Amino acid sequence: MAGQADFQFVGSGAEAYDRFLVTPLFEPMAEVLLDAIALAPGEAFLDVACGPGVVARLGARRVGAAGSVTACDVSSEMIAVARAKPNEAGFPAIAYAQAAAAAMPFPAASFDAVACQQGLQFFPNQVAALTEMRRVVKVGGRLGVAVFRPSDGARLFTTLRDAGKRAGIVDADVFSRAVFAYGSFDDLQRDLEAADFRDVTVFERTVPVVFDSIDLALMAIRGTPFWPVIALQGPDAIVAFEREARRALEHFATDGPVRVDQHSNIAIAKPK
């Protein structure tokens, strides 16, 4: 169990994301998403908005040596963190590319399955990105998308938003609106159908998220898109936010670890 020393972590947002958010949050949700798209041995798989590569690496275990895995992200920092991880023996090497989701450098109909975990809501043009994903999926293939469910269904992020507002963080609500851009099943289905997907199924899934301490939960914030909003407002804003966030997180840490349930909407669709 890590302690107070971890609160002094200094690194990039991508490194904080990888160190503090992947294991408690993104690995469990990635397994849910990969189960939903039924990724199988021998398939060609694409992870869009891959971050540090968590979905891609778990996907490589499922497609096995006979399959292939490609991953892309617009962030050079995220791609650097992903590429620095060694390939696992017995599984395919992952091909990483720095690319925006709406302009991917892959041939049409290249992949049996495409996944996008917690990236779609942040894209500047979601339908354009989904249309590009539609372009690279084979006929008979499928797309799986996970987006955070809004309001009380994502207590970690609503807690951060509310702590930011109490601390006087400007644009705390802007962050929240981005995280929860898909407010309903209908919103997600509408955009998938606009991008020429069919047989769209949307459902909710929940994973438990556990941080070993409040300090580690606070460090995880540095890996979210909310952290630059806070940091730009200066040292006093950071201190005020961390004070309010610590108080709020104590509500979820009655026995030491911070425990929250994280809800997401999952959509599975096929190209027309």
Side-chain angles (χ1 to χ4, degrees):
M1 176 173 172
Q4 184 69 27
D6 285 292
F7 194 64
Q8 307 304 316
F9 172 79
V10 176
S12 69
E15 291 166 331
Y17 179 113
D18 186 50
R19 180 171 175 183
F20 299 109
L21 280 171
V22 164
T23 298
L25 173 57
F26 291 113
E27 279 187 355
M29 188 53 69
E31 297 285 16
V32 170
L33 182 57
L34 292 171
D35 283 345
I37 63 175
L39 192 61
E43 292 194 307
F45 174 57
L46 172 64
D47 177 16
V48 179
C50 66
V54 56
V55 179
R57 291 172 67 80
L58 293 174
R61 297 176 186 176
R62 296 193 181 211
V63 301
S68 66
V69 178
T70 304
C72 67
D73 199 290
V74 73
S75 167
S76 59
E77 287 187 351
M78 286 292 190
I79 291 294
V81 171
R83 282 179 171 153
K85 297 176 183 293
N87 290 308
E88 294 187 67
F91 301 115
I94 300 167
Y96 289 103
Q98 184 181 350
M104 295 185 288
F106 312 125
S110 297
F111 303 100
D112 298 295
V114 175
C116 183
Q117 173 170 256
Q118 308 301 348
L120 181 65
Q121 61 265 49
F122 298 108
F123 297 160
N125 186 327
Q126 285 101 347
V127 173
L130 289 169
T131 300
E132 182 71 344
M133 293 181 216
R134 162 66 183 85
R135 183 185 67 82
V136 300
V137 178
K138 295 177 182 178
V139 174
R142 63 271 187 216
L143 168 70
V145 173
V147 293
F148 291 126
R149 188 170 176 83
S151 190
D152 292 338
R155 288 184 294 172
L156 177 61
F157 292 104
T158 52
T159 296
L160 301 186
R161 176 200 64 197
D162 294 345
K165 291 169 71 173
R166 289 193 299 273
I169 302 297
V170 178
D171 292 337
D173 277 329
V174 172
F175 161 78
S176 182
R177 287 195 295 273
V179 170
F180 307 126
Y182 285 97
S184 71
F185 287 2
D186 291 344
D187 294 335
L188 195 49
Q189 180 160 350
R190 179 201 62 224
D191 282 359
L192 283 161
E193 290 177 348
D196 273 345
F197 283 96
R198 62 177 176 84
D199 296 340
V200 178
T201 302
V202 187
F203 52 92
E204 181 185 351
R205 286 291 182 270
T206 302
V207 297
V209 182
V210 181
F211 298 99
D212 285 346
S213 68
I214 290 177
D215 285 346
L216 292 179
L218 287 171
M219 280 295 94
I221 297 166
R222 296 173 185 249
T224 72
F226 195 25
W227 182 251
V229 174
I230 301 165
L232 283 173
Q233 296 177 49
D236 290 345
I238 293 173
V239 170
F241 171 77
E242 289 181 339
R243 180 182 62 247
E244 293 296 334
R246 180 178 289 276
R247 289 174 179 168
L249 289 167
E250 287 173 353
H251 176 72
F252 303 107
T254 55
D255 62 349
V258 176
R259 302 174 186 272
V260 296
D261 284 337
Q262 181 61 59
H263 301 252
S264 290
N265 290 338
I266 309 290
I268 305 301
K270 297 178 180 179
K272 286 184 177 178

